Amino acid sequence: MNKKVIALLLITAMLMASITGCGSSSLGDADLSKMKVGVCIYEFSDNFMTLFREELEDYLIDQGFSRENIIIVDAANNQETQTEQIDKFIADKVDVLIVNPVNTSFAETITNKAVKARIPLVYINREPDAAEEERWQDNGWNVTYVGNDARQSGTFQGEMIIELGLETVDLNGDGVIQYIMVEGDPESNATRYRTEYSVKALTDAGFQVECLSNQVGNWQQDQAQQIVADALEQYGNDIEVVFCNNDAMALGALQSIEAAGRTVGTDIFLVGVDALSEALENILAGKMTGTVFNDHITQSHMAADAAITFINGGTNAYYIDSGYVKVTSDNVQKILDMVK
Ligand code: BGC
């Protein structure tokens, strides 16, 4: 074969790899200690994202990156701030971007900036919508999402209530499950899906439900504490189940449940998502019904691995999922041992 044919074959192979975009391949072997990573976090004070970013940084260092080349910035829940941070990372020519978007509907703009600058992009935790993900695939771009399908966590929350049985949960015996819902940040797809799918699991199983109150707690413990205190004052013993879109809010809910003299597992049921160690301790002590393990360890490792694959000239699947795990008193010790 002459040189031109070989070159053509090589280009075709590279094009095919970027078009299919599935699986992952590692072509080069870059010196990671010289590579710059720009990490944008939507909000440093978020409990779950704190665990995630600390694990991400440690794992990147374990893989060979230098601490000074891993720059992690806080958007303080402001999309404008985050956009400026991304522009700065691009101007500084980072080798890869890892972005936890403030506002997932802004993903198209973020993607366009990264693609234009030819910087690979790994979205974490907050999933852009399906149309945006298709665009990466259709164009063969070096962009991916690493996280979970939030629908599954909602379904698991509903299933934990179903598994207790109607006779246990239906405390007032009216054949209907009365619940309150404490929602996360409305900008996050996880909020929408967890809210919808937790209740859908109940109705799919033939349970009748009644929503007494549905409030936004923005993922925050203190906001949830207030919401649940107010709901308990208004609806009292009518509340049978408290669904919280995450554990930070479930911890706030628990403070108000205890302050109102109610007892989880006896006269009220409480579920969250994340498996924060404090929530796991509460499950162990019988003070929370259950949670759903949102595996920040696997997710942060997968995000770093995807970034390394891009740096090495390889491709990643457009959607990388770590899967959720249901956590009740049956398996709580095992999960606690993993996260501690
Ligand atoms: C977690 C929340 C967190 C949010 C941040 C969710 O997956 O369950 O605890 O606040 O991500 O985007």
Side-chain angles (χ1 to χ4, degrees), residues 42 46 48-49 125-126 194 219 245-246 273-274 294:
Y42 97 94
D46 182 295
F48 176 77
M49 287 316 299
N125 172 252
R126 297 183 150 197
R194 288 176 190 165
W219 304 124
N245 283 172
N246 77 350
V273 175
D274 280 340
N294 191 3

Side-chain angles (χ1 to χ4, degrees), residues 7-320:
L8 208 70
L9 281 174
L10 263 177
I11 289 168
T12 314
M14 279 166 77
L15 267 176
M16 289 305 292
S18 69
I19 288 166
T20 56
C22 357
S24 64
S25 59
S26 200
L27 301 178
D29 205 4
D31 178 357
L32 296 179
S33 70
K34 299 210 166 63
M35 296 294 141
K36 279 203 254 174
V37 193
V39 183
C40 299
I41 300 294
Y42 97 94
E43 167 82 272
F44 270 17
S45 68
D46 182 295
N47 305 31
F48 176 77
M49 287 316 299
T50 302
L51 295 173
F52 193 118
R53 85 182 131 88
E54 288 173 358
E55 184 66 33
L56 177 66
E57 185 175 23
D58 289 348
Y59 183 77
L60 284 167
I61 292 167
D62 284 350
Q63 301 313 299
F65 289 89
S66 322
R67 188 178 292 276
E68 63 271 21
N69 287 339
I70 306 166
I71 304 127
I72 308 183
V73 292
D74 179 11
N77 207 16
N78 183 323
Q79 186 56 62
E80 228 172 276
T81 304
Q82 186 170 70
T83 307
E84 283 165 17
Q85 291 168 336
I86 291 171
D87 288 340
K88 169 113 187 12
F89 279 143
I90 290 175
D92 289 347
K93 297 195 174 18
V94 294
D95 296 286
V96 66
L97 276 165
I98 299 180
V99 178
N100 171 213
V102 173
N103 185 337
T104 39
S105 55
F106 208 75
E108 185 179 342
T109 309
I110 298 172
T111 303
N112 290 346
K113 283 176 185 285
V115 167
K116 191 165 167 231
R118 295 177 182 276
I119 298 175
L121 170 61
V122 179
Y123 283 107
I124 52 168
N125 172 252
R126 297 183 150 197
E127 187 177 1
D129 60 25
E132 171 61 8
E133 289 180 354
E134 268 161 39
R135 224 164 58 95
W136 314 337
Q137 187 148 13
D138 292 347
N139 291 289
W141 288 335
N142 282 344
V143 183
T144 184
Y145 164 72
V146 178
N148 268 330
D149 181 351
R151 281 168 280 227
Q152 187 188 39
S153 51
T155 303
F156 283 173
Q157 285 188 300
E159 284 177 5
M160 289 189 284
I161 298 301
I162 294 165
E163 282 154 17
L164 293 171
L166 182 65
E167 48 309 329
T168 305
V169 185
D170 182 21
L171 295 157
N172 59 12
D174 66 352
V176 182
I177 304 288
Q178 274 85 15
Y179 70 91
I180 62 169
M181 180 71 68
V182 188
E183 297 192 8
D185 173 356
E187 279 302 335
S188 160
N189 283 336
T191 295
R192 271 190 292 282
Y193 286 145
R194 288 176 190 165
T195 300
E196 183 187 342
Y197 279 74
S198 50
V199 176
K200 186 174 180 300
L202 291 179
T203 53
D204 283 355
F207 284 57
Q208 283 190 59
V209 295
E210 185 189 356
C211 177
L212 298 175
S213 146
N214 193 330
Q215 305 277 329
V216 171
N218 285 310
W219 304 124
Q220 305 287 323
Q221 179 164 347
D222 55 344
Q223 293 188 32
Q225 185 182 358
Q226 191 58 53
I227 288 168
V228 175
D230 293 347
L232 283 166
E233 204 175 305
Q234 190 172 355
Y235 301 104
N237 289 340
D238 289 345
I239 303 175
E240 294 167 333
V241 176
V242 180
F243 284 110
C244 294
N245 283 172
N246 77 350
D247 277 352
M249 297 192 295
L251 293 171
L254 180 58
Q255 290 172 296
S256 298
I257 287 170
E258 290 184 327
R262 303 278 292 269
T263 311
V264 172
T266 302
D267 59 23
I268 197 160
F269 300 90
L270 170 66
V271 288
V273 175
D274 280 340
L276 296 182
S277 50
E278 219 180 322
L280 295 172
E281 302 279 7
N282 281 320
I283 295 172
L284 207 55
K287 292 184 190 173
M288 254 178 84
T289 309
T291 187
V292 180
F293 183 29
N294 191 3
D295 187 349
H296 64 278
I297 304 168
T298 305
Q299 284 166 48
S300 55
H301 296 190
M302 283 172 151
D305 290 344
I308 293 168
T309 299
F310 278 144
I311 286 176
N312 279 324
T315 58
N316 287 290
Y318 290 99
Y319 174 87
I320 301 172

